Amino acid sequence: QVYKGLDIITNKVSLQEQRLCRHHMISFVDPLVSNYTVVDFRDKAVPLISSHIFARDKIPIVVGGTNYYIESLLWKVLINTKEKPSSASKPESDRKVELEQLDSAELHRRLSQVDPEMAAKLHPHDKRKVARSLQVFEETGIPHSEILHQQQEEEGGGPLGGPLKYPHSCILWLHADQAALDARLEKRVDDMVAAGLLQELRDFHRRYNQEKVAENRQDYQHGIFQSIGFKEFHEYLVSEGNCSPETSALLLEKGIQALKQVTKRYARRQNKWVRNRFLKRPGPNVPPVYGLEVSDLQRWEEDVLKPALEIVESFIQGREPPAEPLRMEHDEKENKRSHRVCELCARLIIGDREWAAHTRSKSHLHHLKKRRKLEASGRAGGTMGDSGDAESSDEDGSLPL
């Protein structure tokens, strides 16, 4: 939402709603700036909170979305590297983007040489994180892992980061039954189409992306172009006017269905992030998280608005809120950085929880079932070969794989 344009896709708050309450950090970055990062976000948001909101005796309400950006405001977890010009100026070469152009194996090899501890923690295929760690070392001269250790050892720090910036924070987590949430998200996409999504996509594509596509240099991994919803309509946008109406209609429907699927998938990742980072996060530097059930919108006043106001008022007045914060057990023995190789799937899995999830996944179970069938066929073939003539076993008892 920091980028100008694509207001419908990014679900920006309407101008009418903005008049009811002052909003910040919306529509101020040029869409062609691809190197705007969470550090840039934090560096603009923190002064806003201290100089413009706290200074007027107001309370900042940070609204998600992207929980990684919320973490940057709650904890001291980010690292400043070299100074760079404002993102509003002419786009410049970004070292992290340059590094991401390298082969994954080469990137990981380079990181292993300068920061073996960080390299051991990161998956070799996670180009973004590997590139970021390399960038930190190149621009500070200090291994990324060493800087993180320094943050964790500060007073108020913990195993997953530095101290809280604002000790009296609280998190209100609006969550819903999965079926109700999925239905609501599908309806939201339909409403976006009805609100003019297609015209917004066409205009944005014509102004910012059509030339990139023609020159084969479109990039759906950085900046506003990675927004959910834009790349899902790539085929429709580049073929519109160059194919039959029937084909165009099919590509449009394909884009709409893809948008619905990726939106639901993203919502699941958001919920997983809250559980893993806010609820299971060990250490004392975690704000309380209060769950608010939003499955039934008819009960919004009773289930969401009233308890939320009571919780916030209690924090303002310095007393215990009437609601209990959510708590989830975390396994002290869990190793988030364990390395296991699944030979069946030819994949490297990092983390105990990720390994457990992988062994239950459809993909792994499919490969497991396939191997068992092959083993059973091999045993059957071996039995038949044993009972036949020794000279014919190579021809009749062999099992093609």
Side-chain angles (χ1 to χ4, degrees), residues 156-367:
L160 294 180
L164 275 171
K165 289 194 184 81
Y166 311 104
H168 302 294
S169 306
C170 75
I171 297 173
L172 304 176
W173 179 30
L174 278 63
H175 58 89
D177 173 77
Q178 195 62 57
L181 179 59
D182 286 348
R184 197 174 300 163
L185 291 174
E186 291 213 3
K187 182 180 182 302
R188 187 174 82 176
V189 172
D190 293 334
D191 291 343
M192 289 161 65
V193 173
L197 172 66
L198 299 183
Q199 191 57 47
E200 177 181 89
L201 289 171
R202 290 189 192 101
D203 292 344
F204 196 85
H205 177 69
R206 176 178 50 79
R207 293 174 62 191
Y208 298 109
N209 204 44
Q210 195 168 40
E211 185 178 337
K212 291 175 178 286
V213 171
E215 297 174 0
N216 197 28
R217 58 184 180 88
Q218 72 273 17
D219 180 7
Y220 292 126
Q221 301 301 317
H222 298 94
I224 196 171
F225 297 101
Q226 65 184 316
S227 300
I228 288 177
F230 191 73
K231 55 185 173 293
E232 282 72 25
F233 289 90
H234 173 80
E235 287 185 84
Y236 171 74
L237 293 170
V238 299
S239 65
E240 192 176 26
N242 299 315
C243 63
S244 67
E246 293 78 14
T247 300
S248 185
L250 287 172
L251 291 175
L252 173 58
E253 183 59 26
K254 180 182 176 182
I256 292 173
Q257 293 307 315
L259 177 54
K260 289 181 177 180
Q261 289 302 318
V262 74
T263 302
K264 290 186 286 187
R265 199 178 306 132
Y266 183 64
R268 284 172 169 79
R269 288 206 305 271
Q270 285 179 312
N271 286 332
K272 183 180 178 182
W273 185 290
V274 171
R275 293 187 184 96
N276 291 341
R277 303 289 290 178
F278 294 157
L279 294 177
K280 293 185 178 180
R281 194 176 182 125
N285 59 337
V286 184
V289 179
Y290 297 91
L292 300 169
E293 173 64 48
V294 295
S295 295
D296 184 359
L297 293 181
Q298 300 298 320
R299 293 185 52 81
W300 174 266
E301 297 278 341
E302 306 96 308
D303 294 346
V304 184
L305 182 58
K306 184 179 177 182
L309 290 174
E310 290 175 346
I311 291 166
V312 174
E313 286 173 358
S314 299
F315 267 81
I316 294 172
Q317 296 167 7
R319 55 183 174 83
E320 284 294 316
E324 283 290 320
L326 297 173
R327 302 185 190 280
M328 290 184 71
E329 296 294 328
H330 63 271
D331 187 354
E332 297 288 351
K333 297 179 181 179
E334 179 189 344
N335 185 353
K336 296 180 180 293
R337 299 300 178 187
S338 63
H339 284 58
R340 294 183 180 89
V341 176
C342 178
E343 296 180 357
L344 272 178
C345 306
R347 287 185 59 191
L348 170 64
I349 309 297
I350 297 180
D352 290 351
R353 188 183 302 126
E354 287 72 14
W355 175 256
H358 173 71
T359 56
R360 296 192 301 267
S361 68
K362 289 182 179 179
S363 173
H364 177 80
L365 294 175
H366 169 74
H367 284 96

